Amino acid sequence: MLSPQDMAALGLTLRLAGVTVLVLLIIGTPLAWWLSQSRWRYKALIEAVVALPLVLPPTVLGFYLLLALGPSGPIGGLSRALGEGTLAFTFTGLVIGSAFYSLPFVVQPLQGAFSAIGRRPLEVAATLRASPLDCFFSVVLPLARNGFLTAIVLGFAHTLGEFGVVLMIGGNIPGVTQVISIAIYDHVETLQYAEAHLLSGILLVLSFSILMAVYVLNRRFAVVHP
């Protein structure tokens, strides 16, 4: 049986993954659309920044985010000035760090889906006097549903297994910032292997089930491209 502390870590992990994906869809959709349509000369610079978490060690990203979210950092200082307190070692700080860390897993599938649509459907919609906003919601979003499902699954699954970033930003506060990966590490450190096995098994089954659901849907309804 899971202890109350482990249950809290599991619930916090699921909530963090859900909120992070929602934030990334709000931020990443317009960013991915711009990247897919822009002909800006230095667009590769933005693409490199988006993809940076893929190659940057999580502890490095977490360290700089900790400085930015801390009381002396630009984001943390602004938050304190607005009366919201510091963002480091809070759930909000975890969401910000997770959003940065999982950004490429959401933006890149969306960018690929938007690019695959091409300009022809948009040109046809424009000839029917559809506004750019109408084109996006009536044409682009339905055609890009494969990319959205891929982005949601990858973003959620990637956030579930975060360790270095959330540890640097949130520390290890039970019930506040302790996610399931950190709880597993705690159990291993204290030689509580049975508890570590149980939590690891839950995370393994959860991640596998998410991926299996996508493959089953793909075989039946072709909602995600291989």
Side-chain angles (χ1 to χ4, degrees):
M1 297 293 293
L2 291 177
S3 67
Q5 183 172 318
D6 289 340
M7 286 291 294
L10 177 60
L12 181 66
T13 302
L14 295 175
R15 184 160 64 99
L16 176 63
V19 174
T20 298
V21 168
L22 180 60
V23 170
L24 283 176
L25 286 176
I26 295 173
I27 298 173
T29 299
L31 176 58
W33 176 250
W34 179 82
L35 288 173
S36 68
Q37 302 299 309
S38 175
R39 299 180 183 274
W40 185 43
R41 182 178 180 181
Y42 301 105
K43 184 181 71 171
L45 177 63
I46 306 300
E47 290 178 318
V49 171
V50 170
L52 192 59
L54 294 174
V55 296
L56 194 66
T59 50
V60 174
L61 179 61
F63 172 69
Y64 284 113
L65 285 174
L66 178 62
L67 295 181
L69 299 176
S72 301
I75 301 176
L78 178 61
S79 176
R80 292 187 64 188
L82 296 175
E84 298 297 328
T86 183
L87 294 175
F89 307 108
T90 65
F91 180 77
T92 302
L94 291 185
V95 171
I96 295 173
S98 298
F100 273 101
Y101 189 48
S102 296
L103 184 64
F105 292 88
V106 173
V107 171
Q108 290 184 349
L110 292 180
Q111 182 183 350
F114 291 152
S115 298
I117 294 174
R119 296 186 177 274
R120 181 61 178 171
L122 302 179
E123 293 171 353
V124 172
T127 61
L128 298 175
R129 298 183 179 180
S131 67
L133 197 60
D134 288 336
C135 288
F136 185 79
F137 284 100
S138 301
V139 179
V140 174
L141 290 187
L143 292 177
R145 65 184 183 276
N146 301 345
F148 275 97
L149 183 56
T150 303
I152 291 171
V153 171
L154 290 180
F156 190 90
H158 186 252
T159 306
L160 286 180
E162 288 180 356
F163 180 78
V165 170
V166 294
L167 183 61
M168 293 292 289
I169 298 174
N172 185 12
I173 308 174
V176 180
T177 61
Q178 186 187 67
V179 296
I180 191 170
S181 58
I182 297 177
I184 293 171
Y185 180 77
D186 274 354
H187 286 313
V188 172
E189 272 200 322
T190 55
L191 304 181
Q192 296 175 335
Y193 293 120
E195 290 81 356
H197 271 302
L198 182 57
L199 287 180
S200 299
I202 291 174
L203 193 58
L204 175 62
V205 170
L206 183 59
S207 301
F208 182 77
S209 299
I210 292 172
L211 294 176
M212 274 299 299
V214 172
Y215 282 112
V216 170
L217 287 173
N218 184 47
R219 288 178 63 88
R220 292 187 178 182
F221 306 108
V223 293
V224 179
H225 290 302

